[in-house]
Amino acid sequence: GAGVSQSPSNKVTEKGKDVELRCDPISGHTALYWYRQRLGQGLEFLIYFQGNSAPDKSGLPSDRFSAERTGESVSTLTIQRTQQEDSAVYLCASSYMASEAFFGQGTRLTVV
Amino acid sequence: AQSVTQLDSQVPVFEEAPVELRCNYSSSVSVYLFWYVQYPNQGLQLLLKYLSGSTLVKGINGFEAEFNKSQTSFHLRKPSVHISDTAEYFCAVSVPRGGRRALTFGSGTRLQVQP
């Protein structure tokens, strides 16, 4: 595709439900990142995939968060038993190796 | 591991005045450096990047940045700002050779351009 695509663009969920966020990176990009951005805040690193290497999961805030990536394609970020504190914009980015990252428009998650 | 420090969380400035947004990084190896901009309610957009070569890098919208290896800095500058430059600016660093976490962001600087 022409850019990084994220879906859904908006998600409202009830506290305690599970949600799955999807990211389609730019074709050929070996690296994929997930970040969280709370309202008015900076980017909080969550997880990083690079090719077939083991992902860097050091930013995941709790075991309720997990992410997968199939090869160098689609990634899904799953949040189990959502809490109100999970409300944020979840941003996905992809890059070729360590060059500039291209960001999607994000998924705005609201937990009510 | 690399890290990025943006010293100013907010920078208010009058329209047509010059501005400098500061960024310092820490890394034991060579790095690539980036500035991203996030306009209100929008995603992140690349402003400029330093990979190698000339230490003065020009980007979009009249912005430029200078890589200073001895001071480990990559400050962003614009000689005359516009109201439309009001946004959040993020400095980022990546490690070109197989870093475990290739792209690290600073905490951001909110540029507020006043008429």
Side-chain angles (χ1 to χ4, degrees):
Chain A
V4 178
S5 177
Q6 291 188 247
S7 60
S9 55
N10 281 282
K11 176 73 175 178
V12 180
T13 190
E14 292 181 352
K15 180 181 173 181
K17 300 283 190 183
D18 297 352
V19 295
E20 191 172 277
L21 312 181
R22 178 186 170 105
C23 173
D24 280 279
I26 293 173
S27 178
H29 279 191
T30 55
L32 187 146
Y33 312 81
W34 283 99
Y35 294 90
R36 179 168 70 180
Q37 188 174 33
R38 291 197 168 104
L39 187 63
Q41 303 296 311
L43 281 76
E44 178 185 359
F45 168 77
L46 297 178
I47 189 168
Y48 163 59
F49 297 90
Q50 171 60 52
N52 294 319
S53 301
D56 178 354
K57 303 180 180 181
S58 61
L60 294 177
S62 76
D63 59 7
R64 295 187 296 106
F65 288 73
S66 63
E68 294 182 348
R69 186 183 187 195
T70 306
E72 293 184 354
S73 61
V74 171
S75 175
T76 55
L77 176 69
T78 301
I79 308 173
Q80 295 178 312
R81 305 181 302 281
T82 53
Q83 304 294 314
Q84 288 186 329
E85 68 210 38
D86 300 333
S87 295
V89 175
Y90 289 82
L91 293 165
C92 176
S94 71
S95 70
Y96 179 71
M97 303 301 284
S99 64
E100 68 264 31
F102 294 82
F103 280 80
Q105 289 300 303
T107 294
R108 184 177 300 277
L109 176 65
T110 303
V111 182
V112 298
Chain B
Q2 66 270 21
S3 65
V4 180
T5 302
Q6 291 184 243
L7 298 166
D8 307 300
S9 59
Q10 294 190 54
V11 173
V13 63
F14 288 107
E15 193 173 18
E16 297 183 8
V19 70
E20 178 180 84
L21 306 184
R22 297 181 292 169
C23 173
N24 287 85
Y25 69 93
S26 173
S27 175
S28 59
V29 298
S30 297
V31 296
Y32 293 160
L33 294 155
F34 310 89
W35 275 98
Y36 286 84
V37 60
Q38 186 177 34
Y39 297 105
N41 299 313
Q42 294 190 28
L44 274 80
Q45 177 182 358
L46 182 70
L47 261 183
L48 48 79
K49 62 184 177 184
Y50 171 78
L51 304 183
S52 65
S54 173
T55 57
L56 182 62
V57 179
K58 294 190 182 296
I60 61 172
N61 301 339
F63 284 93
E64 64 180 31
E66 186 159 17
F67 170 56
N68 188 319
K69 187 174 182 179
S70 63
Q71 296 187 4
T72 61
S73 67
F74 191 56
H75 301 332
L76 181 70
R77 302 186 182 100
K78 186 169 182 176
S80 176
V81 295
H82 302 289
I83 295 286
S84 59
D85 293 323
T86 294
E88 189 88 18
Y89 292 80
F90 294 96
C91 182
V93 60
S94 71
V95 175
R97 291 188 179 84
R100 280 275 296 162
R101 186 188 304 178
L103 189 63
T104 301
F105 282 86
S107 55
T109 298
R110 188 175 302 275
L111 177 63
Q112 298 168 312
V113 182
Q114 303 164 8

